[in-house]
Amino acid sequence: MKGLSVLILSLSLWHGACAQGTLAAPAASNRTTAWHDGGFHVDLAGVLGRSDIVLGRTNVDAGEALPLGNGRLGVAVWAAEGLTAQLNRADTLPERLSPGQVVIPGLAAMTQAKDFTGRLDLYNGEIREQGGGMHAAVYVQPGTDTLVVDVTGANAGVQQTAKLMLWAPRVPKALTKGTVGLLSQAWVDDQEPESSGRHFGSLSAITALGRDVSVRVADPLTVVVSFRPYADGHFRILVGAPHFDGGQDAYAEAQRALVEAATDAHRTWWHSYWSRAGLMKIESTDGSGEYMENLRAIYLFAAAAEKGVEYPGSQAGVADMLSSARDVHRWAPSAFWHWNLRMMVAANLGAGVEDLNAPYFNLYLENLPAIESWTKTYMKGRPGACVPETMRFNGKGIEYESSWKPISIGRDCDADFKPYYNSRTLSTGAEVSLWIWQQYLATGDRRFLTENYPVMASSARFLLAYQKPGDDGLLHTSPSNAHETQWDVTDPTTDNAAAKALYPVVIQAARLLGRDPVLMHQLEAALPKVPPFPRVPEKGPRTLMPVSADADRHDVIAESYLPRATIHNAENIGLEPVWPYDLIGDDSPMFELAKRTYEHRPYVGVADWSFDPVQAARLGLGDEVRSMLLKVTESSQHSINGFANWDKQYGEFYIEQVGVLADALQEALVQDYDGLIRLAPATPSGWNFDGSVYVRGKTRVDVQVREGRVTTAVIEAGTMQFIRIRNPWPGEAFDVVSGRTMAKIVSGATSPVITFRGMAGTRYLLRRREDPVADKSFVPVTGVQAATAKRLGKVQIGLFSSNLLPGVDVHGHDVRGLLVTLGASITEGAGSTPGTNRSWPSVLAARLADEGSNIAVLNEGISGNRLLVDGAGPSALSRFDRDVLGQPGVRWVIFSDDPINDVGSTHPPPTADALIAGIERLIARAHEKNIQFFCSTLTPYEGANYWTASGEAVREQVNAFLRRGKNGCDAVIDQDTATHDPVHPTRYLPLYDSGDHLHPNDAGHRAIANDIDLRVFRQRTE
């Protein structure tokens, strides 16, 4: 491209964590260290401030909400109608109903001010916003489940209101008493299959601290508090949402919740949390490392905010307690998916916040009797626990999808149920048991192990009972699922991995606790009879190969011993032995086999929960860690709060992607899966690290890495134990020095692995002889608080002031004006190669640059967006003022693919006339502002999952309208003709199809861009 005069602004890599507003550079020197005076020094506030979520403009959409919480009450906050916050709890089962939303209209004077700014301050656990002379701090009190909105700078003479509301079909009791208004609702879990009969409910209450406070019931779903600010312009709104199941006095509970705590109590709580969490700072030349650092910090914040109490706050990888979607749930809200919890358990362990896992373990321990009963009833009388992969909160193997049309019911751990995703997934109990063991190893908490050992033993008893002796003398499982990928196959890799990993740890736990000698003997006898992992060729027909094929180095681990079975999900089952089962490490004879399995895995970063980056780290593939983290992030992180959005139609945030990311970064920096500490085993090239990771025995490992080399290494022993560590400088001599006395514990070690006795509470420095720390300058790990939003390819954290990169002035003399591309996933770039700027707006920008047009291009595509109806963000009609008319210097707009989503995902779908009318409204609004409006025909989509013949008819009618004269468009870009197959015009030309039949590939995007006649931009010269 010629110079920088043409910008594709939403697809550029940007990291704005530093106040200077330039791309971050890696650490300037490896001649510094954070080790000083016997300790490793980290400026917690400075490091965490780098990851603050910054709002340069108002986050008006629910999909832009920022999270808050105290582990029991989760909150989503955004600026609709002034300021809106949704309250969420994990104990409003079975439907996880929200206690309500609070709306404060008077804060529009702040959020709609031209000088508005805001941030989520991670270190202090609060949202701070300002604008129009007003300031607001929003936070959740730690001791009571209370949301506080503290405002200064308000007009003391203007009455304020705050509305607490629910929505149909909710039927709360609305009550006012004194200056408190509340909404309460109670119910019994007795409507779904296998209901618990338990009583649940929701309660929310509101009051204000100000002058002349009054409260009224506005309607059966709403209470409103009215007041005037104090004379100095200050007021405070308290919104409580405590536990409630209908058995308590609602008003008494509300009063307790609305007790005002010290204004800094929440800060003290968060500071304590961060002081024990292992933080991480990453620097890179392109800003990608910083972006990953930011997402990990956001994960750790969210994990604490939505911890849960009896059960986990997340149930299907969804950030349920941080939702802004009212009572909408894509997945059965009464059930938990273990596959979508595992990454969070691992991430919490590595970050040293293992207490966040308590609700996870309680879910299975509390329900063990119910699980065993379910197993005996539905798994043909077998003993033990077949832990359902998708399990209702009361231990039943039921997935009840009430929001689906028609309603769907799945049964797990049911021998007679039809073949289904998890009907015979047998390995979940083994994995839960392994996480119990890992939690014990991390904490040394014998009481925890004693309490949870029954889950381990019961899971082992069931797996033993299901295994059947074969003629080959081995024990086989069949029929059994290879998780959700293959159904009812023989000896799936997940089962074999489960047995190989579970039996030894149950033996160890039983021996340690003096339990179950008969079970120990049975497991010892069974362990050698577990089949080896199935092998198939890395390429070609999927036929079974013997273990001896490893020698030829062309085999990979298959899903099961029926490798040609139908595939039902995009899971890389062959890599499960690497992680989470910890069976193949870097000293395993199967290590090269595992690396081949990774290289030839069938699914490359295809889901937000993809474990590719974690497994790459375990395999020592640092650059793959980077590549997969970036790929999955760019394809999944659709929300400016850092969360993914798996299914935009439902509007829920997903936390599972940042959970995987957090664990992958920890595994890249430090590993100890077999008790041997490895430093920087998979740090990506070009990324410099300063970080702390927790390993076994409550031990913290502090590491600094510069240019791929460990420069500082500190072991902070948590218990008295023997510490084994791999030499981070192979072949070089190093000492182990006690930070307490500076005495040498180990002198001049050169062996690949060294062992020393660690004393609890002692820090040990690994001092390299050729590069002693004493010769380095002391610089603590610190940072500068984020000043702007951050961007990675087409995704971002926070909001830029106008969606433009800092420093761009579209009114400058070199820029003729701004072109906005408005549309859905095709406009956003779906189907093109992530991170390569090959979307059609990117290619168009390059063409304009080559021509010297001096036109800036702003991509406002949102995957899943629609023209008429809100869904994945506000509809095009709703956001046109903000995203087009409100952009400085805009002169042209290209409207593209939104109507396809209207046809495919709106029920009932709109008519062609309705869509045409919507387009005409956009045209008229553009013309009112003297902006040229370029229409685009709708691309073909037959073969996509929501294609119908009736939808095709609507598409063709809309295209016919756009192609005729007098349609109001200033130009028509015929994306349909540019991409369809002339022989089958309702489909993409195969050369242009990304494979999902809905989005074009790189070539298809290029065809769209190249079909645009650039002369249309020269028709306007004013």
Side-chain angles (χ1 to χ4, degrees), residues 288-308:
S288 59
E290 289 86 341
Y291 200 94
M292 299 301 107
E293 169 200 336
N294 299 158
L295 289 178
R296 178 177 180 269
I298 290 169
Y299 167 76
L300 292 176
F301 179 86
E306 69 152 4
K307 172 186 174 183

Side-chain angles (χ1 to χ4, degrees), residues 124-210:
N124 289 312
E126 63 190 27
I127 295 170
R128 295 197 305 275
E129 299 181 345
Q130 61 185 20
M134 298 177 67
H135 293 74
V138 188
Y139 55 88
V140 177
Q141 294 183 165
T144 61
D145 297 339
T146 309
L147 173 70
V148 178
V149 182
D150 189 88
V151 178
T152 60
N155 186 331
V158 175
Q159 186 183 56
Q160 297 281 340
T161 61
K163 176 173 62 175
L164 180 63
M165 67 177 192
L166 282 169
W167 40 83
R170 299 290 294 276
V171 286
K173 293 180 180 178
L175 171 70
T176 65
K177 191 171 183 179
T179 59
V180 174
L182 60 89
L183 300 172
S184 65
Q185 184 178 357
W187 58 86
V188 179
D189 173 33
D190 60 1
Q191 299 298 305
E192 298 183 0
E194 302 291 343
S195 294
S196 67
R198 284 180 57 177
H199 290 254
F200 293 97
S202 72
L203 170 64
S204 55
I206 189 169
T207 191
L209 301 180

Side-chain angles (χ1 to χ4, degrees), residues 475-499:
L475 296 173
H476 302 280
T477 55
S478 180
S480 181
N481 282 18
H483 203 258
E484 295 188 356
T485 295
Q486 290 182 336
W487 301 349
D488 286 350
V489 292
T490 299
D491 292 333
T493 290
T494 41
D495 285 3
N496 292 345

